[in-house]
Amino acid sequence: MLSKTETEHQLEAVKHELEALRLEFQRIEQSSSYLLGRLLISSLRSPRKLLRLPVDLVRLGKELRLRSRPPAPGSLVYSRLRRAWLELAQQAKADSAPLIFMFSGTTFIQGTRGNRPIRQTQALLRQDARVLFSYHRSRFDDPLPSWTAQGLVQMPQDVTLQLLQDIARGELGSALKLCIISYPYPSMDRQVELFRQHGWKVIYDCRDDWEEFSRVGMARWFDAEVERSLVRQCEMTICVSAPLVRKMSGYAPQKRVELVPNAVEADFLPEGYQHTPAESPIIGYFGHLAEAWFDWQAFTQIAQNCPQYRFEIIGHSAPSGLQLSDNVQLLGPKPWHELHRYASRWRVAIIPFRMGPLADGVDPIKIYEYLYFGLPVVSFLMPQIKEYPYTTTVDSVEAFCGALESACSTKVDGQLIAQFISANTWEVRAQQLLGLLESENAV
């Protein structure tokens, strides 16, 4: 039976998921393809509407062209967001609270777990900081997120870019100000000096090897010179992995570049969690399944070579037409609050990412979650995680299978895991970020 706390957590998670579904439905309902399809179907059902079709198509075209432009100064959305920013600035000034401008490049925060900028932001809010969270949206008419939190303003990037001057020059009294540029968006390097002139400390958070992502078609906007310029101009660069530290240090040897890995929430485990592996070993994975980084060919061979294990694969974006052996179950995406139900039965967790420069720069958040669940981990080569507790990295299918056998018989020391987790929580990372503001010589 679920405890009261766990039930409340699940109800809250369901609310967030319903809100996400509502937003997705609203986005689809307002999409150009849906509106055009509805118009065409309607015209086929009515002779009068069929005669009006040319006029209606012209009207729809004008409406869609207007949607392709960001909200103009003076528009309702622009004015609303500018007012929200000014109110947040006033709060920080009145309370002398740290103010963080998170230029994330990710989607908006929905209250559930997310990627590094989202989790950094949530942890900073728990430290009583104020955060202006700039997020990416693919369409300028996408609805604004309804999820809110004390001390948080979420602003779509298209509006943020128009308000950069206002943000940088905001009158914040004695409040400490930190700008975190979480991805090397073109032109942001030209804004660093503006923020520094107005008392902001500016850091570049290198959370991925964007150059390698661009080579596999995942970050087509990437410009290597912009990233180099950010490292040269920002007071400090933090990186999720040691290989990225070396790479960024090469761009500006005189600048401070430090390792700040990913982490996990201190309260990630649900109340009463128990790791009770199934008698017949289950090997598990959760996360993205795109071919750009998940090595499906190698994983298929591993599953075929290890018929004694059952493999449960959780996630989205799996390629179509996969030919998998009978001991593999593709379970699709699952809400984060349900992952523990699967992980508690697993014997080992895996990270079968493609080896190469892309993986070399990664510090996957999932490994912290795996370890917190009490699971040994087997992964293809990934330098950053090589020394993590109960983690084995290998360079071949044969070695992967051998490591699975060893890991299945491994008894995990809960105290060792607790020590590792306590040093690697998002709360610790938030304190490190705020420490950059509080120490005059930090950057």
Side-chain angles (χ1 to χ4, degrees), residues 164-185:
L164 281 176
Q165 296 274 337
D166 286 0
I167 296 168
R169 295 171 175 167
E171 175 51 51
L172 298 170
S174 61
L176 300 172
K177 302 177 286 188
L178 176 63
C179 172
I180 302 175
I181 300 176
S182 193
Y183 80 129
Y185 182 76

Side-chain angles (χ1 to χ4, degrees), residues 113-140:
R113 314 295 179 181
N115 52 28
R116 179 176 171 101
I118 290 174
R119 290 179 163 189
Q120 285 173 328
T121 294
Q122 291 172 324
L124 286 163
L125 292 171
R126 291 193 290 271
Q127 300 289 325
D128 296 323
R130 306 292 189 266
V131 182
L132 174 62
F133 186 86
S134 175
Y135 67 90
H136 174 77
R137 61 178 177 178
S138 56
R139 287 179 19 173
F140 297 134

Side-chain angles (χ1 to χ4, degrees), residues 297-299 301-302 305 355 380 394-402:
Q297 181 178 0
F299 170 72
Q301 294 175 3
I302 292 166
N305 294 350
M355 291 180 284
F380 280 129
V394 299
D395 62 359
S396 69
V397 167
E398 293 73 18
F400 205 108
C401 295

Side-chain angles (χ1 to χ4, degrees), residues 413-424:
D413 183 344
Q415 185 174 359
L416 180 59
I417 293 296
Q419 291 173 351
F420 176 78
I421 294 299
S422 67
N424 292 281

